[in-house]
């Protein structure tokens, strides 16, 4: 049984790679702005809705999978994701159609499907909780490595063809998810009651004091500290992911200081960012298992602040922009690994799906509010002809937000 549990981890990673389409939305933004004349605030709207609905799906899916198991919930999520892309293809000529298809239906499907592999892997790997959650969600962060170049190839570079290539791209995605995501979900299962890895004995630091149901968890101060930490900690990553493609396109057009030659494209940059995002989930999860959750949280907050203030605030080339974005994505990925592990640490694995679903609302609300706020500010700077000044001010603000996550980490871990 110890060897066979890795097949569940493999199925989880594969599904998460497909769900990572959500992080590839920025590739659609420039074609949509060109085709429809939309502002940055408009083109980011489907992404914002996908994040908040994703969080709703996490709550519902987490509660459901705790009762019915991961396979049925992941299957329903995969079907909804495919359906949402098909609707986006059919109604994508309007902003409302994209919000409905990509934002609401697909976002709900991703929420259902995303929570199941995390909860499943925590139960199969109680001895490697931080590492396995990092490995499971690494696939989600790596999604743009696959989808970034694929979407650029499908959309093409001819603005005159965007009216046909945009819906075609959504239909291709719908087919991929209907086959790949639904297929991966059929491999999901949880271990039998009382199962544990051979030779492993739980230690006090590796387990919660007792299994805590959601109704009780939300009555404690620790839950709200974890919630606030999740909101603040992921603000940088969610913003840079939403702005990555437009920022890299603008940097590539300037061309100054670029050392990457033909690799200096938004799609390639998004793929590189996704590697760092994925490695951050695995790396910070492993660090937290070895050196403690607090050490990993402090490291993520400090490096994220450095990426924003020390690099992105003054970046004037494609190479510098990509370096800063990649470091921010590396730290952001860590939160997606550590927060599920912390949920299990604080409240146990039995109600992991429902408890993490509630905590995940912090990520969803952050994704809906913060990227939209900064996109609106960038529109104002662009209208004034001072877009680079706008980026500088925004990354200064994000650096302060990242630094504040260190204080929240300290307060949260004191309550453990």
């Amino acid at each position: 049984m110890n060897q066979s549990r890795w097949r569940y981890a493999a199925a989880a990673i594969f599904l998460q790679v497909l769900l990572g389409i959500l992080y590839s939305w920025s590739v659609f933004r420039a074609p949509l702005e060109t085709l429809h004349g939309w502002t940055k605030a408009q083109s980011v709207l489907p992404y914002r809705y996908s994040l908040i609905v994703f969080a709703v799906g996490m709550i519902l899916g987490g509660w459901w999978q705790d009762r019915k198991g991961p396979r049925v919930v992941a299957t329903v999520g995969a079907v909804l994701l495919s359906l949402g892309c098909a609707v986006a293809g059919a109604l994508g000529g309007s902003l409302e159609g994209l919000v409905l298809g990509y934002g609401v239906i697909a976002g709900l499907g991703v929420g259902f499907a995303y929570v199941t592999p995390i909860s499943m892997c925590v139960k199969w790997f109680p001895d490697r909780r931080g590492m396995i959650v990092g490995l499971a969600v690494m696939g989600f962060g790596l999604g743009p490595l696959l989808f970034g170049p694929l979407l650029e190839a499908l959309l093409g570079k001819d603005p005159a063809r965007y009216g046909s290539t945009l819906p075609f791209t959504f239909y291709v995605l719908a087919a991929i998810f209907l086959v790949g995501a639904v297929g991966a979900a059929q491999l999901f299962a949880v271990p039998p009651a009382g199962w544990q890895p051979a030779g492993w004995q739980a230690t006090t630091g590796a387990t919660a004091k007792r299994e805590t149901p959601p109704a009780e968890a939300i009555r404690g101060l620790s839950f709200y500290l974890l919630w606030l930490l999740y909101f603040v900690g992921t603000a940088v990553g969610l913003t840079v992911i939403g702005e990555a493609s437009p920022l890299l396109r603008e940097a590539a057009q300037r061309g100054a200081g670029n050392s990457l030659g033909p690799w200096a494209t938004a799609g390639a940059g998004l793929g590189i960012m996704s590697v760092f995002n994925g490695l951050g989930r695995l790396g910070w999860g492993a660090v937290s298992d070895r050196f403690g959750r607090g050490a990993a949280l402090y490291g993520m907050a400090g490096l994220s602040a450095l990426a924003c203030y020390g690099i992105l605030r003054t970046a004037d080339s494609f190479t510098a922009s990509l370096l800063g974005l990649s470091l921010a994505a590396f730290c952001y990925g860590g939160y997606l690994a550590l927060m599920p592990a912390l949920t299990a640490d604080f409240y146990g694995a039995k109600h992991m799906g429902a408890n993490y679903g509630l905590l995940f609302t912090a990520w969803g609300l952050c994704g809906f509010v913060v990227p939209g706020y900064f996109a609106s500010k960038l529109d104002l700077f662009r209208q004034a002809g001072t877009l680079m000044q706008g980026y500088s001010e925004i990354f200064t603000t994000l650096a302060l937000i990242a630094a504040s996550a260190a204080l929240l980490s300290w307060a949260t871990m004191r309550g453990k």
Side-chain angles (χ1 to χ4, degrees), residues 91-398:
L91 305 179
S94 70
L95 184 57
E96 293 80 8
L98 286 175
V99 168
L100 173 63
Y102 191 94
V104 177
I105 301 175
L108 185 65
V110 172
F112 275 19
Y114 181 88
V115 68
T116 54
I118 295 174
S119 181
M120 177 181 70
C121 286
V122 164
K123 292 169 183 174
W124 279 113
F125 293 85
D127 52 333
R128 305 180 185 184
R129 185 173 286 163
M131 181 276 294
I132 198 61
V133 171
L135 189 62
V137 299
M138 180 180 69
F140 196 85
L142 289 174
L145 182 62
L146 167 67
F147 287 112
L150 174 63
L151 294 178
E152 281 199 331
L154 291 172
L155 291 168
K157 297 181 179 180
D158 183 3
R161 298 188 63 228
Y162 286 156
S164 60
T165 60
L166 275 162
F168 174 74
T169 299
F170 283 117
Y171 291 140
V172 170
L173 292 176
I176 290 173
F177 299 138
L178 187 61
V179 175
V182 172
Q186 307 318 301
L187 303 177
F188 284 16
V190 294
W195 179 87
Q196 64 181 31
W200 178 74
Q201 294 294 326
T203 62
T204 302
T207 59
K209 295 177 182 178
R210 66 187 184 87
E211 301 290 346
T212 307
E216 184 176 342
I218 62 174
R219 291 201 294 266
L221 176 62
S222 293
F223 178 85
Y224 297 97
L225 288 173
L226 284 167
W227 193 97
L228 191 57
L229 173 60
Y230 210 169
F231 184 101
V232 171
T234 55
V236 173
L238 287 169
T239 301
V240 301
I241 287 170
E243 293 295 334
S245 186
L247 176 59
L248 291 173
R249 280 175 180 267
E250 289 154 5
Q253 289 170 2
R254 291 194 303 273
N258 173 41
S259 61
L260 297 180
W263 292 99
T265 68
L270 202 63
I272 293 170
M273 274 183 64
S274 75
V275 172
F276 278 86
N277 189 346
L279 291 176
R281 297 167 190 239
L282 180 60
W284 290 113
V287 166
S288 76
D289 281 343
R290 183 173 180 85
F291 300 105
R293 310 282 190 238
L297 289 168
Y298 298 142
M300 286 151 43
L303 186 57
S304 186
L306 176 63
C308 290
Y309 192 80
I311 302 175
L312 290 168
R313 181 178 62 90
T314 57
D316 60 356
S317 70
F318 184 95
T319 304
S321 298
L322 180 57
L323 175 61
L325 291 171
S326 296
L327 289 178
F330 181 71
C331 297
Y332 165 77
Y335 286 101
L336 274 295
L338 261 66
M339 298 312 294
L342 282 166
T343 303
D345 289 348
F346 274 74
Y347 306 117
K350 181 178 180 180
H351 305 283
M352 169 72 184
N355 284 331
Y356 185 55
L358 288 171
L359 189 62
F360 199 74
T361 57
W363 181 92
L365 186 60
C366 179
F368 185 77
V369 173
V370 177
Y373 168 74
F374 286 122
S376 297
K377 289 199 70 174
L378 285 174
D379 277 332
L380 296 176
F381 281 104
R382 183 172 62 175
Q383 292 167 11
T386 56
L387 184 59
M388 296 311 299
Q389 179 187 342
Y391 278 122
S392 178
E393 291 190 15
I394 283 170
F395 285 120
T396 298
T397 303
L398 288 172

